[in-house]
Amino acid sequence: MNQPKIAIIGLGYVGLPLARLFATKYAVVGFDINISRVAELNSGIDVTLEVSENVLEAVLKQQDNSEVGLFCSTEAKDIAACDYYIVTVPTPVDKNNRPVLIPLIKASETVGKVLSQGNIVIYESTVYPGATEEECIPILEKVSGLKFNKDFFAGYSPERINPGDKEHTVDKILKVTSGSTIEVGKKVDDLYKSVITAGTHLAPTIKAVSYTHLRAHETVLD
């Protein structure tokens, strides 16, 4: 896989900056179910103000091809030829502070429909330890008909973006990475390392990253 094609699933305050960053070196398809959001982005406007117009326009392209740049779409068929799928959908909490996994489940179903041999699915959405393996992977297997860690693989690299922070942007924050196998962990780490100037840290397992990230959130809440 010399020059992988990347799909970013979810173009909110986490997904768009990441898609823009990867699009400086790779062919990227940004996918979102919000039609008006995608239309605005394709016109060079980010209403969340996470990415400035000139920075966004510098990577935007109006057709999906193998060239470096960002193509935004609401059509699942446009992400069918990708090698990496990075899920950045929100994971809100309910009134009892329990995570609402519906966006994550829907995103996994979308990816499962286009998943093919050798693909790697990376989750950035904040989840509790074990959620990637227990909730997301079974959906990918069921929808795709493929076998985990044989036909496709997974990674987890929790988002650490602070919305509105123009100083500590995604490329300037140390990225913790992981993979479902040692080899895949290295591939995931190398992918992020190619664009994250602050560097990366490869964790031994996906669950280890989840526990570390959860504790960090609990510390902030305390």
Side-chain angles (χ1 to χ4, degrees):
M1 198 184 295
N2 294 324
Q3 191 66 1
K5 186 174 182 180
I6 302 169
I8 305 294
I9 314 301
L11 295 173
Y13 76 89
V14 174
L16 180 63
L18 187 65
R20 195 287 308 176
L21 181 61
F22 274 123
T24 61
K25 290 192 176 183
Y26 303 97
V28 177
V29 180
F31 175 86
D32 201 291
I33 60 174
N34 188 325
I35 296 175
S36 60
R37 171 68 169 163
V38 170
E40 288 169 349
L41 293 176
N42 279 329
S43 65
I45 299 172
D46 172 27
V47 295
T48 70
L49 304 179
E50 289 297 321
V51 179
S52 63
E53 290 186 17
N54 62 317
V55 171
L56 179 58
E57 289 176 353
V59 297
L60 273 180
K61 56 184 182 180
Q62 296 305 312
Q63 60 179 344
D64 181 22
N65 51 38
S66 59
E67 297 177 3
V68 171
L70 173 62
F71 173 72
C72 299
S73 175
T74 59
E75 299 290 334
K77 63 180 179 61
D78 290 326
I79 59 173
C82 292
D83 304 293
Y84 288 88
Y85 293 89
I86 304 179
V87 179
T88 59
V89 297
T91 47
V93 294
D94 62 18
K95 62 181 181 180
N96 297 313
N97 211 34
R98 294 176 300 192
V100 177
L101 299 180
I102 293 175
L104 197 61
I105 290 171
K106 294 295 184 183
S108 297
E109 289 173 345
T110 297
V111 172
K113 292 175 183 177
V114 298
L115 206 58
S116 60
Q117 196 82 22
N119 287 170
I120 298 175
V121 184
I122 304 168
Y123 288 90
E124 284 215 7
S125 303
T126 300
V127 292
Y128 56 83
T132 300
E133 299 98 326
E134 296 166 12
E135 303 289 345
C136 303
I137 299 303
I139 294 172
L140 293 174
E141 285 189 310
K142 180 179 179 181
V143 176
S144 69
L146 300 176
K147 186 68 176 175
F148 176 51
N149 273 348
K150 177 183 177 183
D151 302 317
F152 75 94
F153 305 88
Y156 182 55
S157 181
E159 55 86 8
R160 300 177 64 197
I161 293 177
N162 183 26
D165 190 337
K166 302 304 180 184
E167 181 179 354
H168 302 97
T169 51
V170 60
D171 55 315
K172 297 175 183 176
I173 302 173
L174 180 73
K175 203 79 168 75
V176 180
T177 63
S178 62
S180 55
T181 69
I182 294 174
E183 294 78 10
V184 168
K186 181 67 164 56
K187 287 184 177 181
V188 171
D189 192 65
D190 285 345
L191 183 71
Y192 281 100
K193 191 180 295 182
S194 69
V195 294
I196 302 294
T197 57
T200 62
H201 171 72
L202 176 58
T205 65
I206 289 175
K207 191 166 288 188
V209 180
S210 297
Y211 273 112
T212 301
H213 190 57
L214 181 65
R215 285 304 307 153
H217 271 275
E218 289 175 346
T219 300
V220 172
L221 290 174
D222 290 343

